[in-house]
Amino acid sequence: MIELKNVSKNFDTIKAIDNISATIEEGHVFGLIGTNGAGKSTLMRLTSGVFRPDQGSILVDGEPVYDNPAVKAKIFYISDEQYFFKNGTPRDMLRLYSAYYPEFDKEKWQELIEKFGLDVNRKVNTFSKGMKKQLSVICGVCANTKYLLCDETFDGLDPVMRQAVKTLFVREIEKRGLTPVIASHNLRELEDICEYVGLLHRGGILFERDLDEMKLNLHKIQCVVKKESILQEIKKDLEVLTLENRGALYTFTVRGKREDVVDYMEGLDLTFYELLPLSLEEIFISETEVKGYDIKALIL
């Protein structure tokens, strides 16, 4: 288990991470989403022990991660800007990681390299962005660490490779209890694989929840409202997060139990209404808009 307790990190006058507390349980895929500059990459580096927090603590299986080689050996970190030896080949990276990670599986590495079609003797600096990502994922999986931290892992991968990486993660979770933590702007990709998500905004964490549970308690409603008084009644009685309209058709998101929302809407004098499923992207927009990150203010 990874525990972050009141963690803060500043860079000169910039507050990158502000008093974050979160828990990442073992054996599940945890997705880390956030607004631009929210601190996702900084949080990844703190969790992997690259950075030391200015305040608070980060514990991995009950022990601090920073300046602790034994704990760091449980974590493989794939950064958005990956590091490779200058003029190095995949075989060179194999020698590096197998020396550092005692449980590194060389046979699995060779098998995956062949399946992904990568040349072990070709210089990595001649690889495309997607090929470099593939190599990093293969090394990360084969290191056999308990935790795999991935910063924008799917960026640069084509659809077939994205699905292959997801399948690989699922297999490792089922086989040995791997815990992937994936930070990404691509919410559609996270929605397919993540069980829990944490939402970062301006250096702080807005929530950390089970994705299915979150969808059960956040709903999108479309309805045709006859009278302005009914609309005001809805806004007063329900926890409305976002609201927009086109003529008499209103679309809004509300928080609450589905059965309570349905019972309430059934009791109103409406021409028409329906509950629609919410995507992770819509949840992201709804939650951040409440905190002032309003898409309409950015584009209008």
Side-chain angles (χ1 to χ4, degrees):
M1 182 170 63
I2 298 174
E3 299 171 275
L4 298 96
K5 301 179 180 180
N6 308 116
V7 174
S8 295
K9 180 66 180 178
N10 299 332
F11 296 101
D12 296 325
T13 59
I14 299 172
K15 187 176 287 293
I17 297 294
D18 186 16
N19 196 36
I20 283 180
S21 294
T23 300
I24 299 173
E25 300 288 347
E26 299 175 17
H28 301 283
V29 185
F30 188 92
L32 191 60
I33 61 178
T35 53
N36 292 327
K40 297 187 299 297
S41 294
T42 299
L43 189 60
M44 284 287 199
R45 289 179 170 89
L46 286 164
T47 304
S48 61
V50 176
F51 292 157
R52 168 186 256 163
D54 295 332
Q55 296 178 4
S57 62
I58 300 176
L59 304 178
V60 175
D61 296 340
E63 296 184 64
V65 64
Y66 186 78
D67 202 21
N68 190 335
V71 173
K72 285 186 177 183
K74 297 180 179 183
I75 300 169
F76 194 101
Y77 170 49
I78 302 175
S79 67
D80 186 24
E81 299 177 357
Q82 305 147 88
Y83 170 79
F84 299 101
F85 289 135
K86 186 177 182 180
N87 296 321
T89 66
R91 199 178 295 281
D92 294 325
M93 304 311 297
L94 167 63
R95 284 194 287 266
L96 169 68
Y97 290 125
S98 60
Y100 187 79
Y101 293 99
E103 300 298 322
F104 197 99
D105 191 333
K106 294 181 181 180
E107 291 184 8
K108 183 192 293 183
W109 185 89
Q110 186 64 47
E111 176 189 337
L112 290 174
I113 285 289
E114 292 175 2
K115 284 185 176 179
F116 278 67
L118 300 177
D119 185 346
V120 297
N121 296 311
R122 178 177 165 180
K123 292 181 179 179
V124 179
N125 60 17
T126 68
F127 281 6
S128 68
K129 181 178 181 180
M131 293 166 70
K132 291 176 181 177
K133 289 281 186 178
Q134 293 170 40
L135 177 58
S136 293
V137 168
I138 291 171
C139 290
V141 167
C142 292
N144 275 333
T145 55
K146 192 173 182 179
Y147 303 98
L148 181 60
L149 308 186
C150 309
D151 195 354
E152 299 294 346
T153 298
F154 300 109
D155 187 25
L157 297 179
D158 63 51
V160 172
M161 283 301 170
R162 287 201 298 269
Q163 190 58 47
V165 169
K166 291 177 189 177
T167 302
L168 186 57
F169 284 172
V170 170
R171 188 176 72 184
E172 293 299 311
I173 292 168
E174 294 174 347
K175 183 178 178 181
R176 59 183 178 87
L178 173 68
T179 301
V181 181
I182 305 173
S184 179
H185 285 101
N186 193 329
L187 305 189
R188 183 67 186 88
E189 297 292 352
L190 292 184
E191 191 169 17
D192 284 345
I193 192 172
C194 291
E195 299 162 273
Y196 297 88
V197 293
L199 172 57
L200 285 176
H201 181 55
R202 294 176 180 170
I205 195 158
L206 294 187
F207 62 71
E208 166 210 350
R209 296 180 195 154
D210 180 294
L211 182 55
D212 289 336
E213 180 182 329
M214 188 162 48
K215 287 183 176 182
L216 288 174
N217 289 284
L218 200 61
H219 316 281
K220 180 166 69 173
I221 300 172
Q222 279 191 341
C223 65
V224 175
V225 178
K226 297 178 181 178
K227 304 174 184 176
E228 176 67 22
S229 59
I230 295 178
L231 178 63
Q232 296 304 318
E233 186 179 339
I234 292 172
K235 292 165 69 174
K236 177 174 68 72
D237 295 338
L238 297 179
E239 187 179 350
V240 179
L241 301 182
T242 64
L243 173 66
E244 59 182 40
N245 74 291
R246 294 180 181 177
L249 179 65
Y250 286 83
T251 303
F252 50 93
T253 56
V254 301
R255 197 193 315 276
K257 293 182 179 179
R258 180 183 178 88
E259 55 268 28
D260 293 342
V261 173
V262 169
D263 287 346
Y264 179 82
M265 296 301 295
E266 291 285 352
L268 297 176
D269 183 19
L270 297 172
T271 304
F272 158 83
Y273 95 92
E274 65 176 338
L275 261 67
L276 302 172
L278 272 166
S279 67
L280 181 55
E281 183 171 337
E282 289 173 315
I283 292 172
F284 174 87
I285 291 172
S286 297
E287 295 285 1
T288 52
E289 187 170 321
V290 172
K291 298 295 182 179
Y293 196 67
D294 187 353
I295 188 172
K296 293 188 290 293
L298 296 174
I299 62 177
L300 297 180

